[in-house]
Amino acid sequence: MNLTSNSTSVEDVVIMSPPLIDSRLKNDNSNDRTASSTPATSTSSSPRLQPSTTPHIFSGFALQLNDAISNVEREESSNDNIAASSLSSCNSVVIASPASQKSLRTHNPIRAIVDPIMAHSVKCGKERGDGKDQISLALGDPTAYGTIPPCPVIIPAITEALQAPGMAAGYVNAVGTPEARHAIHKYHYPNADSTSLHDGEDASNIVITSPDDVIVANGASGALDLALTALLDEGSVLLVPRPGFPLYQVIAESHGARVVHYDLLPNQGWECDLDHIDRIITEEEDYANDMNTKVVRGIVVNNPSNPTGAVYSEEHLMQIVKLAEKWNVPIIADEIYGDLTFG
């Protein structure tokens, strides 16, 4: 890459992101200001940075970059994925690639709680001396401990699909294969092809769907990311349950949206506090005072609930739907645990 500044012609640029720089920063009292250069010609496939001339750093970039690169030179490990171009006799430019605002807004609060516990506090019963192993409630994965094996139909079906000629192991449509979308639609709407009105039923209440309305996502978390990305703008509001799964907040805040928690009612089987939801939407829309822009973009309903385990009745779900219809607010239905049954 060729760059030309007011007084310096530069041929080589090293770009490092702030997270990479931060990982390289160490306490260093040295006043040396050496730079990074070409990957060493060694048997390792990972590049290793070698000393070169002092880089010219444009005004506005952190001077810590020089220290960071000096520390890289002294590291013995060559397991770094740092791209550096060969330097000739000209000066080099080191540019700190700024982190996006979205990445800076993305923070998972549960990690600050769980990680220290897993790293330092969780010990088996033999280590503690009481013989009682702890049961982790931090991971909602029933297969993690081997007690629920995969469905016996899945393994041979996947094997057959991968071994069959065609596109099974190649690229597919970004929203899923037609076969998968048809199968999912048929499962959730088995009578979609024979939808008819009952006596006295309003035709406006009938929602006609098709496989084109199905998007196959990369897991439930990927589906949540897609749905919330489609709904949220910076400054908009997402309603999420309290207590609830923290990922809703992580995704929403990464888009610059605000999260407002609505209460669940412990004395009513952890049902959604519909009055509280109604008050929140009223206050948010009145405060915005903008008839042309919807502030509250969605209500997350987690059923069965994480972490309460509550399973809502059809009556309560219909009450939620009516409230959402009143305000014309979409429902993001997280039903990841819907088909898990223990008996």
Side-chain angles (χ1 to χ4, degrees), residues 23 30 41 45 61 72-73 87 108 157 161 176 196 200 294 296 299 302 333:
S23 69
S30 172
T41 54
S45 60
F61 291 110
V72 172
E73 298 164 6
L87 297 182
N108 191 347
S196 60
K294 200 73 177 176
V296 178
I299 305 171
N302 186 200

Side-chain angles (χ1 to χ4, degrees), residues 139-151 340 342:
L139 182 64
D141 182 359
T143 69
Y145 300 98
T147 55
I148 301 181
C151 173
L340 294 180
F342 299 90

Side-chain angles (χ1 to χ4, degrees), residues 131-208:
K132 298 179 180 180
D133 291 338
Q134 295 182 359
I135 299 175
S136 174
L137 302 180
L139 182 64
D141 182 359
T143 69
Y145 300 98
T147 55
I148 301 181
C151 173
V153 177
I154 292 178
I155 297 177
I158 293 176
T159 302
E160 181 181 353
L162 292 175
Q163 292 176 342
M167 294 296 293
Y171 289 116
V172 298
N173 192 306
V175 293
T177 64
E179 296 83 359
R181 297 168 74 193
H182 276 82
I184 294 170
H185 182 263
K186 184 177 181 179
Y187 177 83
H188 287 281
Y189 302 97
N191 301 318
D193 295 334
S194 59
T195 302
S196 60
L197 292 176
H198 299 291
D199 292 340
E201 188 173 7
D202 186 356
S204 63
N205 292 330
I206 299 297
V207 178
I208 305 300

Side-chain angles (χ1 to χ4, degrees), residues 241 262-265 268-277 299-302 312 316-317 319-320:
Y262 67 84
D263 291 333
L264 302 181
L265 302 171
Q268 295 179 214
W270 297 101
E271 289 184 341
C272 304
D273 188 336
L274 301 179
D275 291 336
H276 190 205
I277 294 176
I299 305 171
V300 175
V301 177
N302 186 200
Y312 298 147
H316 183 57
L317 292 174
Q319 291 172 341
I320 298 172

Side-chain angles (χ1 to χ4, degrees), residues 225-249:
D225 196 5
L226 285 175
L228 296 179
T229 298
L231 291 171
L232 300 176
D233 287 316
E234 190 168 346
S236 59
V237 172
L238 178 70
L239 272 56
V240 303
R242 178 174 56 197
F245 187 47
L247 183 62
Y248 314 131
Q249 181 173 344

